[in-house]
Amino acid sequence: MRNTKVMNRFDLTSRLVKKLKHEEAVIGGIGNTNFDLWAAGHRPQNFYMLGSMGLGFPIALGVALAQPERRVFALEGDGSLLMQLGSLTTIAALSPKNLTMVVMDNGIYQITGAQPTPAAQVADIVAIAAASGLAGSAWAADEEDFERLIDQALAATGPTLIGVRIDDKPGVGTTRRDPVQIRERFMLGLNVRQPL
Ligand SMILES: Cc1ncc(C[n+]2csc(CCOP(=O)(O)OP(=O)(O)O)c2C)c(N)n1
């Protein structure tokens, strides 16, 4: 089903962030995806989802629609996405040209004790995305292929989804849990708030 290398979330997140030169927005999903986004180097255009599984992509969709000239990336765990699969069809139907989703598939709910997710056995996230209408969905074969898919996404004319198989490591850092600060910094970073 997936002839892909098992990679590492922090390494891939760092590779993505290094490629961002135009104040692209990045939305990190609950837990490890936003921990590693934070650890890869905080940017004012980063938003760190706290609390609810599966809201990374819906939030990113809102940002992409509100600011169509800005590229938007969203990072989500496989367990979180499986809890909010309807977001894929909504995104496919609205088809924002500037949104790229990355699914960090470790086949487990790592942060709550490594219980297996359905992606470990029966669900192929990229096949689900393609069948939801996201035709440009692909598994990254290895780190080089991931970087190539990100380069493609930076020039894409429709929403794209990249699946990556990752190891069972927890996030490298821990996001500072201050929701008001996270929101205000992000709004400043997106130029929708004036500095005090
Ligand atoms: C709606 C909801 N249900 C359950 C939880 C508890 N919870 C928080 S993170 C998590 C697991 C996330 O798994 P995944 O998205 O695959 O990321 P990973 O931890 O593997 O990086 C769970 C069950 C929650 N925060 N929200």
Side-chain angles (χ1 to χ4, degrees), residues 84-152:
Q84 193 61 262
L85 276 181
S87 62
L88 296 181
T89 54
T90 303
I91 290 166
L94 293 171
S95 197
K97 64 180 190 329
N98 51 335
L99 175 59
T100 298
M101 295 155 276
V102 178
V103 183
M104 302 285 184
D105 185 354
N106 51 12
I108 52 176
Y109 303 98
Q110 197 280 332
I111 208 164
T112 50
Q115 304 87 351
T117 72
Q121 286 179 312
V122 293
D124 181 324
I125 298 282
V126 167
I128 290 171
S132 300
L134 295 163
S137 303
W139 286 105
D142 55 21
E143 288 85 354
E144 200 180 310
D145 194 35
F146 175 75
E147 293 206 14
R148 184 186 63 81
L149 290 166
I150 294 294
D151 289 340
Q152 270 182 12

Short mmCIF file of all heavy atoms in Angstrom, two decimals, residues 84-152:
data_model
loop_
_atom_site.label_atom_id
_atom_site.label_comp_id
_atom_site.label_asym_id
_atom_site.label_seq_id
_atom_site.Cartn_x
_atom_site.Cartn_y
_atom_site.Cartn_z
N GLN A 84 -11.80 14.00 11.72
CA GLN A 84 -12.40 15.16 11.06
C GLN A 84 -12.31 15.00 9.53
O GLN A 84 -11.99 15.94 8.80
CB GLN A 84 -11.62 16.41 11.50
CG GLN A 84 -12.22 17.75 11.20
CD GLN A 84 -13.56 17.99 11.85
OE1 GLN A 84 -14.60 17.81 11.22
NE2 GLN A 84 -13.54 18.39 13.10
N LEU A 85 -12.62 13.77 9.06
CA LEU A 85 -12.42 13.47 7.64
C LEU A 85 -13.26 14.35 6.71
O LEU A 85 -12.88 14.60 5.57
CB LEU A 85 -12.76 12.01 7.36
CG LEU A 85 -11.65 11.01 7.63
CD1 LEU A 85 -12.13 9.60 7.28
CD2 LEU A 85 -10.39 11.35 6.85
N GLY A 86 -14.42 14.81 7.22
CA GLY A 86 -15.29 15.64 6.37
C GLY A 86 -14.60 16.89 5.89
O GLY A 86 -14.98 17.46 4.85
N SER A 87 -13.56 17.34 6.63
CA SER A 87 -12.87 18.56 6.21
C SER A 87 -12.24 18.37 4.82
O SER A 87 -12.13 19.33 4.06
CB SER A 87 -11.80 18.96 7.24
OG SER A 87 -10.81 17.96 7.35
N LEU A 88 -11.85 17.15 4.48
CA LEU A 88 -11.21 16.94 3.17
C LEU A 88 -12.16 17.22 2.01
O LEU A 88 -11.78 17.83 1.01
CB LEU A 88 -10.66 15.51 3.08
CG LEU A 88 -9.54 15.15 4.06
CD1 LEU A 88 -9.08 13.72 3.82
CD2 LEU A 88 -8.36 16.11 3.93
N THR A 89 -13.39 16.75 2.15
CA THR A 89 -14.34 16.98 1.06
C THR A 89 -14.72 18.46 0.98
O THR A 89 -14.92 18.99 -0.11
CB THR A 89 -15.63 16.14 1.23
OG1 THR A 89 -16.16 16.39 2.53
CG2 THR A 89 -15.35 14.67 1.08
N THR A 90 -14.83 19.11 2.14
CA THR A 90 -15.12 20.55 2.13
C THR A 90 -13.99 21.31 1.43
O THR A 90 -14.23 22.19 0.59
CB THR A 90 -15.30 21.07 3.57
OG1 THR A 90 -16.34 20.32 4.20
CG2 THR A 90 -15.68 22.55 3.58
N ILE A 91 -12.76 20.95 1.76
CA ILE A 91 -11.60 21.63 1.14
C ILE A 91 -11.57 21.34 -0.36
O ILE A 91 -11.34 22.24 -1.18
CB ILE A 91 -10.30 21.20 1.85
CG1 ILE A 91 -10.27 21.80 3.26
CG2 ILE A 91 -9.07 21.63 1.03
CD1 ILE A 91 -9.23 21.20 4.19
N ALA A 92 -11.84 20.09 -0.74
CA ALA A 92 -11.84 19.76 -2.17
C ALA A 92 -12.92 20.55 -2.90
O ALA A 92 -12.71 21.06 -4.01
CB ALA A 92 -12.05 18.26 -2.36
N ALA A 93 -14.09 20.68 -2.27
CA ALA A 93 -15.20 21.38 -2.93
C ALA A 93 -14.91 22.87 -3.07
O ALA A 93 -15.20 23.48 -4.10
CB ALA A 93 -16.49 21.16 -2.15
N LEU A 94 -14.32 23.47 -2.03
CA LEU A 94 -14.03 24.91 -2.09
C LEU A 94 -12.75 25.19 -2.88
O LEU A 94 -12.55 26.29 -3.39
CB LEU A 94 -13.92 25.49 -0.68
CG LEU A 94 -15.26 25.48 0.10
CD1 LEU A 94 -15.05 25.87 1.56
CD2 LEU A 94 -16.27 26.43 -0.55
N SER A 95 -11.87 24.19 -2.93
CA SER A 95 -10.67 24.20 -3.77
C SER A 95 -9.80 25.46 -3.66
O SER A 95 -9.50 26.09 -4.68
CB SER A 95 -11.11 23.98 -5.23
OG SER A 95 -10.00 23.60 -5.99
N PRO A 96 -9.37 25.82 -2.45
CA PRO A 96 -8.45 26.97 -2.35
C PRO A 96 -7.13 26.64 -3.03
O PRO A 96 -6.56 25.57 -2.81
CB PRO A 96 -8.28 27.14 -0.83
CG PRO A 96 -8.56 25.79 -0.27
CD PRO A 96 -9.59 25.16 -1.16
N LYS A 97 -6.66 27.57 -3.86
CA LYS A 97 -5.47 27.26 -4.67
C LYS A 97 -4.18 27.34 -3.85
O LYS A 97 -3.12 26.93 -4.31
CB LYS A 97 -5.39 28.21 -5.86
CG LYS A 97 -5.21 29.68 -5.49
CD LYS A 97 -5.14 30.53 -6.75
CE LYS A 97 -4.72 31.97 -6.54
NZ LYS A 97 -5.04 32.63 -5.30
N ASN A 98 -4.29 27.88 -2.64
CA ASN A 98 -3.10 28.22 -1.85
C ASN A 98 -2.93 27.35 -0.61
O ASN A 98 -2.18 27.71 0.29
CB ASN A 98 -3.19 29.70 -1.43
CG ASN A 98 -4.53 30.04 -0.76
OD1 ASN A 98 -5.54 29.38 -1.00
ND2 ASN A 98 -4.52 31.07 0.06
N LEU A 99 -3.62 26.20 -0.53
CA LEU A 99 -3.57 25.39 0.70
C LEU A 99 -2.89 24.05 0.47
O LEU A 99 -3.26 23.30 -0.44
CB LEU A 99 -5.00 25.16 1.21
CG LEU A 99 -5.16 24.23 2.43
CD1 LEU A 99 -4.37 24.75 3.64
CD2 LEU A 99 -6.63 24.07 2.79
N THR A 100 -1.93 23.75 1.33
CA THR A 100 -1.25 22.45 1.30
C THR A 100 -1.34 21.80 2.66
O THR A 100 -1.02 22.43 3.68
CB THR A 100 0.23 22.62 0.92
OG1 THR A 100 0.30 23.17 -0.38
CG2 THR A 100 0.96 21.27 0.93
N MET A 101 -1.80 20.56 2.69
CA MET A 101 -1.94 19.81 3.95
C MET A 101 -0.87 18.73 4.02
O MET A 101 -0.62 18.05 3.03
CB MET A 101 -3.32 19.15 4.00
CG MET A 101 -4.44 20.16 4.03
SD MET A 101 -6.01 19.49 3.37
CE MET A 101 -5.77 19.77 1.63
N VAL A 102 -0.28 18.59 5.20
CA VAL A 102 0.70 17.53 5.42
C VAL A 102 0.16 16.64 6.54
O VAL A 102 -0.15 17.13 7.63
CB VAL A 102 2.09 18.09 5.81
CG1 VAL A 102 3.07 16.95 6.07
CG2 VAL A 102 2.62 19.03 4.74
N VAL A 103 0.03 15.35 6.26
CA VAL A 103 -0.46 14.41 7.28
C VAL A 103 0.72 13.59 7.79
O VAL A 103 1.38 12.88 7.04
CB VAL A 103 -1.55 13.48 6.71
CG1 VAL A 103 -2.08 12.58 7.83
CG2 VAL A 103 -2.69 14.30 6.12
N MET A 104 0.96 13.74 9.09
CA MET A 104 2.06 13.04 9.76
C MET A 104 1.51 11.70 10.26
O MET A 104 0.89 11.63 11.33
CB MET A 104 2.57 13.88 10.94
CG MET A 104 3.05 15.27 10.56
SD MET A 104 4.67 15.16 9.76
CE MET A 104 5.04 16.91 9.54
N ASP A 105 1.73 10.65 9.49
CA ASP A 105 1.09 9.36 9.77
C ASP A 105 2.07 8.42 10.49
O ASP A 105 2.94 7.82 9.86
CB ASP A 105 0.63 8.74 8.44
CG ASP A 105 -0.16 7.46 8.65
OD1 ASP A 105 -0.25 6.98 9.80
OD2 ASP A 105 -0.68 6.92 7.65
N ASN A 106 1.88 8.32 11.82
CA ASN A 106 2.67 7.34 12.58
C ASN A 106 1.84 6.11 12.94
O ASN A 106 2.33 5.19 13.61
CB ASN A 106 3.27 7.98 13.85
CG ASN A 106 2.22 8.70 14.69
OD1 ASN A 106 1.03 8.54 14.46
ND2 ASN A 106 2.67 9.50 15.65
N GLY A 107 0.57 6.10 12.53
CA GLY A 107 -0.28 4.93 12.80
C GLY A 107 -0.67 4.79 14.26
O GLY A 107 -1.25 3.77 14.64
N ILE A 108 -0.36 5.82 15.05
CA ILE A 108 -0.72 5.78 16.48
C ILE A 108 -1.20 7.15 16.95
O ILE A 108 -0.92 8.17 16.32
CB ILE A 108 0.49 5.36 17.38
CG1 ILE A 108 1.73 6.24 17.08
CG2 ILE A 108 0.80 3.89 17.22
CD1 ILE A 108 2.93 5.95 17.98
N TYR A 109 -1.94 7.10 18.08
CA TYR A 109 -2.23 8.33 18.82
C TYR A 109 -1.05 8.48 19.79
O TYR A 109 -1.14 8.11 20.97
CB TYR A 109 -3.55 8.19 19.57
CG TYR A 109 -4.76 7.86 18.71
CD1 TYR A 109 -5.21 6.54 18.58
CD2 TYR A 109 -5.45 8.86 18.03
CE1 TYR A 109 -6.32 6.24 17.81
CE2 TYR A 109 -6.57 8.56 17.25
CZ TYR A 109 -6.99 7.25 17.15
OH TYR A 109 -8.10 6.95 16.37
N GLN A 110 0.05 8.99 19.28
CA GLN A 110 1.31 8.94 20.05
C GLN A 110 1.19 9.60 21.41
O GLN A 110 1.59 9.05 22.43
CB GLN A 110 2.42 9.61 19.21
CG GLN A 110 3.82 9.28 19.69
CD GLN A 110 4.26 10.09 20.89
OE1 GLN A 110 3.81 11.20 21.10
NE2 GLN A 110 5.14 9.51 21.70
N ILE A 111 0.58 10.79 21.40
CA ILE A 111 0.67 11.64 22.60
C ILE A 111 -0.19 11.14 23.75
O ILE A 111 0.03 11.50 24.90
CB ILE A 111 0.34 13.10 22.22
CG1 ILE A 111 1.05 14.07 23.16
CG2 ILE A 111 -1.15 13.35 22.17
CD1 ILE A 111 1.09 15.50 22.64
N THR A 112 -1.15 10.28 23.45
CA THR A 112 -2.00 9.77 24.54
C THR A 112 -1.66 8.32 24.90
O THR A 112 -2.45 7.63 25.55
CB THR A 112 -3.49 9.86 24.18
OG1 THR A 112 -3.70 9.27 22.89
CG2 THR A 112 -3.99 11.29 24.17
N GLY A 113 -0.51 7.83 24.44
CA GLY A 113 -0.11 6.50 24.86
C GLY A 113 0.10 5.50 23.75
O GLY A 113 0.16 4.29 23.99
N ALA A 114 0.20 6.01 22.51
CA ALA A 114 0.56 5.18 21.36
C ALA A 114 -0.44 4.08 21.04
O ALA A 114 -0.08 3.02 20.54
CB ALA A 114 1.96 4.58 21.55
N GLN A 115 -1.72 4.36 21.28
CA GLN A 115 -2.75 3.42 20.84
C GLN A 115 -2.78 3.42 19.31
O GLN A 115 -2.60 4.48 18.69
CB GLN A 115 -4.13 3.84 21.38
CG GLN A 115 -4.22 4.00 22.88
CD GLN A 115 -3.82 5.39 23.40
OE1 GLN A 115 -3.32 6.22 22.67
NE2 GLN A 115 -4.01 5.60 24.68
N PRO A 116 -3.02 2.27 18.64
CA PRO A 116 -3.02 2.26 17.17
C PRO A 116 -4.23 3.00 16.58
O PRO A 116 -5.33 2.93 17.14
CB PRO A 116 -3.08 0.78 16.82
CG PRO A 116 -3.57 0.09 18.05
CD PRO A 116 -3.20 0.94 19.23
N THR A 117 -4.00 3.72 15.49
CA THR A 117 -5.12 4.34 14.76
C THR A 117 -5.51 3.40 13.61
O THR A 117 -4.73 2.52 13.24
CB THR A 117 -4.71 5.70 14.14
OG1 THR A 117 -3.83 5.43 13.04
CG2 THR A 117 -4.02 6.60 15.14
N PRO A 118 -6.69 3.61 13.02
CA PRO A 118 -7.06 2.80 11.85
C PRO A 118 -6.07 2.93 10.70
O PRO A 118 -6.00 2.05 9.84
CB PRO A 118 -8.44 3.35 11.47
CG PRO A 118 -8.97 3.93 12.75
CD PRO A 118 -7.78 4.50 13.45
N ALA A 119 -5.29 4.02 10.67
CA ALA A 119 -4.32 4.18 9.58
C ALA A 119 -3.22 3.12 9.67
O ALA A 119 -2.55 2.82 8.69
CB ALA A 119 -3.71 5.58 9.63
N ALA A 120 -3.04 2.55 10.86
CA ALA A 120 -2.01 1.52 11.01
C ALA A 120 -2.41 0.24 10.29
O ALA A 120 -1.57 -0.56 9.90
CB ALA A 120 -1.78 1.24 12.50
N GLN A 121 -3.71 0.00 10.12
CA GLN A 121 -4.16 -1.28 9.58
C GLN A 121 -4.95 -1.17 8.29
O GLN A 121 -4.64 -1.83 7.31
CB GLN A 121 -5.04 -1.98 10.62
CG GLN A 121 -4.26 -2.56 11.77
CD GLN A 121 -5.20 -3.23 12.76
OE1 GLN A 121 -6.21 -2.65 13.15
NE2 GLN A 121 -4.87 -4.45 13.14
N VAL A 122 -5.97 -0.33 8.30
CA VAL A 122 -6.92 -0.40 7.18
C VAL A 122 -7.06 0.87 6.36
O VAL A 122 -7.52 0.82 5.22
CB VAL A 122 -8.33 -0.80 7.70
CG1 VAL A 122 -8.32 -2.23 8.23
CG2 VAL A 122 -8.83 0.15 8.76
N ALA A 123 -6.71 2.01 6.92
CA ALA A 123 -7.01 3.27 6.22
C ALA A 123 -5.76 3.84 5.55
O ALA A 123 -4.71 3.95 6.17
CB ALA A 123 -7.58 4.29 7.20
N ASP A 124 -5.89 4.18 4.28
CA ASP A 124 -4.80 4.83 3.54
C ASP A 124 -5.21 6.30 3.37
O ASP A 124 -6.10 6.63 2.59
CB ASP A 124 -4.64 4.15 2.17
CG ASP A 124 -3.51 4.77 1.35
OD1 ASP A 124 -3.31 6.00 1.42
OD2 ASP A 124 -2.83 4.01 0.63
N ILE A 125 -4.53 7.15 4.13
CA ILE A 125 -4.92 8.57 4.20
C ILE A 125 -4.89 9.24 2.81
O ILE A 125 -5.79 10.01 2.47
CB ILE A 125 -3.97 9.33 5.16
CG1 ILE A 125 -4.06 8.78 6.58
CG2 ILE A 125 -4.23 10.85 5.10
CD1 ILE A 125 -5.25 9.20 7.38
N VAL A 126 -3.88 8.94 2.03
CA VAL A 126 -3.76 9.59 0.72
C VAL A 126 -4.86 9.10 -0.23
O VAL A 126 -5.43 9.88 -0.99
CB VAL A 126 -2.35 9.37 0.13
CG1 VAL A 126 -2.29 9.77 -1.34
CG2 VAL A 126 -1.33 10.19 0.93
N ALA A 127 -5.18 7.81 -0.15
CA ALA A 127 -6.29 7.29 -0.97
C ALA A 127 -7.61 7.93 -0.55
O ALA A 127 -8.44 8.28 -1.40
CB ALA A 127 -6.36 5.76 -0.84
N ILE A 128 -7.80 8.12 0.76
CA ILE A 128 -9.02 8.80 1.26
C ILE A 128 -9.07 10.23 0.72
O ILE A 128 -10.11 10.70 0.26
CB ILE A 128 -9.05 8.81 2.80
CG1 ILE A 128 -9.28 7.39 3.34
CG2 ILE A 128 -10.13 9.76 3.32
CD1 ILE A 128 -9.11 7.27 4.85
N ALA A 129 -7.93 10.92 0.76
CA ALA A 129 -7.88 12.31 0.29
C ALA A 129 -8.20 12.37 -1.20
O ALA A 129 -8.99 13.21 -1.65
CB ALA A 129 -6.51 12.91 0.58
N ALA A 130 -7.62 11.46 -1.97
CA ALA A 130 -7.86 11.46 -3.43
C ALA A 130 -9.34 11.19 -3.70
O ALA A 130 -9.96 11.85 -4.54
CB ALA A 130 -6.97 10.42 -4.10
N ALA A 131 -9.91 10.23 -2.96
CA ALA A 131 -11.33 9.90 -3.16
C ALA A 131 -12.25 11.01 -2.65
O ALA A 131 -13.42 11.07 -3.04
CB ALA A 131 -11.66 8.58 -2.47
N SER A 132 -11.71 11.89 -1.80
CA SER A 132 -12.49 13.03 -1.32
C SER A 132 -12.47 14.18 -2.32
O SER A 132 -13.12 15.20 -2.10
CB SER A 132 -11.93 13.53 0.02
OG SER A 132 -11.99 12.52 1.00
N GLY A 133 -11.68 14.03 -3.37
CA GLY A 133 -11.64 15.05 -4.41
C GLY A 133 -10.33 15.83 -4.47
O GLY A 133 -10.19 16.75 -5.28
N LEU A 134 -9.38 15.45 -3.60
CA LEU A 134 -8.07 16.13 -3.61
C LEU A 134 -7.13 15.34 -4.52
O LEU A 134 -6.33 14.51 -4.06
CB LEU A 134 -7.53 16.24 -2.18
CG LEU A 134 -8.38 17.13 -1.26
CD1 LEU A 134 -8.06 16.89 0.20
CD2 LEU A 134 -8.16 18.61 -1.62
N ALA A 135 -7.25 15.63 -5.80
CA ALA A 135 -6.55 14.81 -6.80
C ALA A 135 -5.03 14.88 -6.64
O ALA A 135 -4.33 13.90 -6.90
CB ALA A 135 -6.96 15.27 -8.20
N GLY A 136 -4.53 16.00 -6.22
CA GLY A 136 -3.07 16.15 -6.11
C GLY A 136 -2.51 15.62 -4.81
O GLY A 136 -1.61 16.21 -4.23
N SER A 137 -3.00 14.48 -4.34
CA SER A 137 -2.52 13.93 -3.07
C SER A 137 -1.45 12.88 -3.34
O SER A 137 -1.56 12.11 -4.29
CB SER A 137 -3.67 13.27 -2.30
OG SER A 137 -4.71 14.20 -2.10
N ALA A 138 -0.42 12.85 -2.49
CA ALA A 138 0.67 11.90 -2.72
C ALA A 138 1.36 11.54 -1.41
O ALA A 138 1.45 12.38 -0.50
CB ALA A 138 1.69 12.50 -3.68
N TRP A 139 1.83 10.30 -1.35
CA TRP A 139 2.75 9.93 -0.27
C TRP A 139 4.14 10.40 -0.64
O TRP A 139 4.55 10.30 -1.80
CB TRP A 139 2.79 8.40 -0.09
CG TRP A 139 1.57 7.84 0.56
CD1 TRP A 139 0.56 7.14 -0.04
CD2 TRP A 139 1.23 7.92 1.95
NE1 TRP A 139 -0.40 6.80 0.89
CE2 TRP A 139 -0.01 7.26 2.12
CE3 TRP A 139 1.84 8.49 3.07
CZ2 TRP A 139 -0.64 7.15 3.36
CZ3 TRP A 139 1.20 8.39 4.31
CH2 TRP A 139 -0.01 7.73 4.43
N ALA A 140 4.89 10.92 0.34
CA ALA A 140 6.30 11.26 0.10
C ALA A 140 7.12 9.99 0.30
O ALA A 140 7.02 9.33 1.34
CB ALA A 140 6.74 12.34 1.08
N ALA A 141 7.91 9.65 -0.70
CA ALA A 141 8.68 8.40 -0.64
C ALA A 141 9.83 8.50 0.36
O ALA A 141 10.16 7.53 1.05
CB ALA A 141 9.23 8.07 -2.02
N ASP A 142 10.44 9.68 0.43
CA ASP A 142 11.56 9.91 1.36
C ASP A 142 11.71 11.43 1.55
O ASP A 142 10.90 12.20 1.02
CB ASP A 142 12.86 9.26 0.84
CG ASP A 142 13.22 9.72 -0.57
OD1 ASP A 142 12.73 10.80 -0.99
OD2 ASP A 142 13.97 9.03 -1.25
N GLU A 143 12.73 11.85 2.26
CA GLU A 143 12.88 13.27 2.58
C GLU A 143 13.04 14.12 1.31
O GLU A 143 12.49 15.22 1.21
CB GLU A 143 14.09 13.50 3.51
CG GLU A 143 13.89 13.01 4.94
CD GLU A 143 14.21 11.54 5.13
OE1 GLU A 143 14.48 10.84 4.12
OE2 GLU A 143 14.19 11.08 6.30
N GLU A 144 13.80 13.60 0.38
CA GLU A 144 14.03 14.34 -0.88
C GLU A 144 12.70 14.52 -1.64
O GLU A 144 12.40 15.59 -2.16
CB GLU A 144 15.01 13.53 -1.72
CG GLU A 144 15.72 14.31 -2.80
CD GLU A 144 16.67 13.39 -3.56
OE1 GLU A 144 17.47 12.68 -2.90
OE2 GLU A 144 16.57 13.35 -4.79
N ASP A 145 11.93 13.44 -1.65
CA ASP A 145 10.63 13.49 -2.32
C ASP A 145 9.70 14.47 -1.59
O ASP A 145 8.94 15.22 -2.23
CB ASP A 145 10.03 12.08 -2.34
CG ASP A 145 8.84 11.96 -3.30
OD1 ASP A 145 8.88 12.62 -4.36
OD2 ASP A 145 7.90 11.21 -2.98
N PHE A 146 9.77 14.50 -0.26
CA PHE A 146 8.96 15.44 0.52
C PHE A 146 9.31 16.88 0.10
O PHE A 146 8.42 17.70 -0.15
CB PHE A 146 9.22 15.24 2.01
CG PHE A 146 8.53 16.24 2.90
CD1 PHE A 146 7.16 16.17 3.14
CD2 PHE A 146 9.25 17.27 3.51
CE1 PHE A 146 6.52 17.10 3.96
CE2 PHE A 146 8.62 18.20 4.33
CZ PHE A 146 7.26 18.12 4.55
N GLU A 147 10.59 17.17 0.01
CA GLU A 147 11.01 18.53 -0.37
C GLU A 147 10.53 18.87 -1.79
O GLU A 147 10.11 19.99 -2.07
CB GLU A 147 12.53 18.67 -0.25
CG GLU A 147 12.99 18.58 1.19
CD GLU A 147 14.29 19.31 1.46
OE1 GLU A 147 14.72 20.12 0.60
OE2 GLU A 147 14.88 19.08 2.54
N ARG A 148 10.57 17.88 -2.66
CA ARG A 148 10.09 18.09 -4.04
C ARG A 148 8.58 18.39 -4.02
O ARG A 148 8.11 19.31 -4.71
CB ARG A 148 10.39 16.84 -4.88
CG ARG A 148 10.04 16.95 -6.35
CD ARG A 148 10.24 15.61 -7.05
NE ARG A 148 9.37 14.56 -6.54
CZ ARG A 148 8.09 14.39 -6.87
NH1 ARG A 148 7.51 15.20 -7.73
NH2 ARG A 148 7.38 13.41 -6.35
N LEU A 149 7.85 17.65 -3.21
CA LEU A 149 6.40 17.86 -3.13
C LEU A 149 6.08 19.24 -2.52
O LEU A 149 5.11 19.89 -2.93
CB LEU A 149 5.73 16.74 -2.32
CG LEU A 149 5.71 15.38 -3.02
CD1 LEU A 149 5.36 14.26 -2.02
CD2 LEU A 149 4.72 15.37 -4.18
N ILE A 150 6.89 19.68 -1.57
CA ILE A 150 6.69 21.03 -1.00
C ILE A 150 6.98 22.08 -2.07
O ILE A 150 6.23 23.06 -2.22
CB ILE A 150 7.59 21.25 0.25
CG1 ILE A 150 7.18 20.32 1.39
CG2 ILE A 150 7.57 22.72 0.69
CD1 ILE A 150 5.80 20.59 1.98
N ASP A 151 8.06 21.91 -2.83
CA ASP A 151 8.36 22.86 -3.92
C ASP A 151 7.19 22.93 -4.90
O ASP A 151 6.78 24.01 -5.32
CB ASP A 151 9.63 22.44 -4.66
CG ASP A 151 10.88 22.66 -3.82
OD1 ASP A 151 10.82 23.45 -2.86
OD2 ASP A 151 11.91 22.02 -4.12
N GLN A 152 6.65 21.78 -5.23
CA GLN A 152 5.47 21.74 -6.13
C GLN A 152 4.30 22.47 -5.50
O GLN A 152 3.60 23.23 -6.16
CB GLN A 152 5.04 20.29 -6.36
CG GLN A 152 5.71 19.63 -7.54
CD GLN A 152 5.18 18.19 -7.74
OE1 GLN A 152 4.19 17.79 -7.14
NE2 GLN A 152 5.87 17.43 -8.56
#
